[in-house]
Amino acid sequence: MSSGIVIHPRHEPFTEGIQALQGLPSSVIGDVMGRLVGTEGLHPVNRSIVTVCGHAFTVRVRSGDNLLIHQALDMLQPGDVLVVDGEGDVTRALVGEIMMTSARMQGALAFVIDGAVRDVDAFETHKFPCWARGVNLRGPYKDGPGSINVPVTVGGMMVNPGDIMVGDGDGLVAVPAERALDIATLAHEKVAHEQATIQDILHGRYSSAWVGVALKQKGH
């Protein structure tokens, strides 16, 4: 009989892609990826501004159970972002200060938890970024089952092991490693265009004529 526990080897990070995406806004990356990616309902628990760009290390667990997250902590390496599909359940916290401290000492960059967390003041004190669906002081079970390094869904977004996670105050996007360099190029171009638009607005040069064109095309 299957135990319901699946543990796959870790994927090696695509360092060049991570470097290329570093510092780019999640919203811009989402735009150039067709505006079809990005999390919904996950929010930073940190009160200060948090940003992250790193290698997705994925875990899927049963609602309210963190056994496989503990196993994942021993497998983390510097630059990892621990991405946990907790089925969106917020009745029990999946991680807290102890697990955050372990991950931080392993060199992990952040937590992304589609579930609840606790000890949120500790995340702020140590400036360890964490996005979660909710906060709950009630502790988890530790029975399993669960999986490590498998495709997961967090905040309505599919994340594959080895994807590049980019997160900030707006949310998170997952960029497939094989697309990272192309996406980074498009995102840098869009950032430059948006900055030019802002300068045009500040100096009175901006025109919204495109709105009229769009309305005319729609028959208005």
Side-chain angles (χ1 to χ4, degrees):
M1 181 180 296
S2 172
S3 66
I5 293 176
V6 177
I7 301 176
H8 291 304
R10 61 177 289 115
H11 291 235
E12 290 305 310
F14 180 36
T15 304
E16 186 179 357
I18 294 172
Q19 292 173 344
L21 291 165
Q22 196 80 42
L24 287 166
S26 65
S27 57
V28 170
I29 295 173
D31 283 352
V32 302
M33 292 181 70
R35 299 182 173 176
L36 295 174
V37 300
T39 54
E40 297 179 354
L42 303 187
H43 305 285
V45 303
N46 308 72
R47 292 184 293 275
S48 57
I49 296 174
V50 293
T51 61
V52 71
C53 181
H55 170 259
F57 188 98
T58 62
V59 183
R60 185 180 181 194
V61 298
R62 179 173 65 96
S63 298
D65 190 292
N66 73 356
L67 177 65
L68 268 291
I69 304 177
H70 279 281
Q71 175 62 37
L73 291 176
D74 290 337
M75 301 171 66
L76 292 178
Q77 293 184 12
D80 285 347
V81 176
L82 183 66
V83 181
V84 178
D85 179 352
E87 299 187 325
D89 180 77
V90 295
T91 60
R92 295 183 180 278
L94 293 176
V95 298
E97 182 176 8
I98 290 175
M99 299 178 79
M100 178 270 289
T101 302
S102 177
R104 189 165 58 89
M105 296 306 294
Q106 294 283 88
L109 299 180
F111 284 167
V112 177
I113 310 292
D114 199 338
V117 302
R118 66 181 184 181
D119 305 328
V120 293
D121 289 343
F123 286 90
E124 174 65 18
T125 297
H126 294 287
K127 299 295 184 283
F128 188 84
C130 177
W131 289 260
R133 187 169 292 277
V135 177
N136 196 324
L137 61 84
R138 297 172 68 183
Y141 299 111
K142 304 180 186 298
D143 302 314
S147 305
I148 293 176
N149 282 322
V150 297
V152 299
T153 300
V154 292
M157 178 180 69
M158 176 71 75
V159 181
N160 288 295
D163 281 355
I164 299 172
M165 295 295 295
V166 179
D168 52 30
D170 288 333
L172 303 115
V173 291
V175 181
E178 64 273 15
R179 298 186 61 196
L181 298 181
D182 290 338
I183 293 299
T185 297
L186 294 172
H188 279 290
E189 292 172 353
K190 183 169 176 60
V191 167
H193 180 267
E194 290 186 350
Q195 291 175 341
T197 298
I198 291 172
Q199 289 302 309
D200 286 344
I201 294 171
L202 293 174
H203 293 89
R205 298 189 299 262
Y206 179 71
S207 171
S208 59
W210 66 271
V211 177
V213 173
L215 290 173
K216 185 176 181 179
Q217 290 175 342
K218 295 179 180 298
H220 292 278

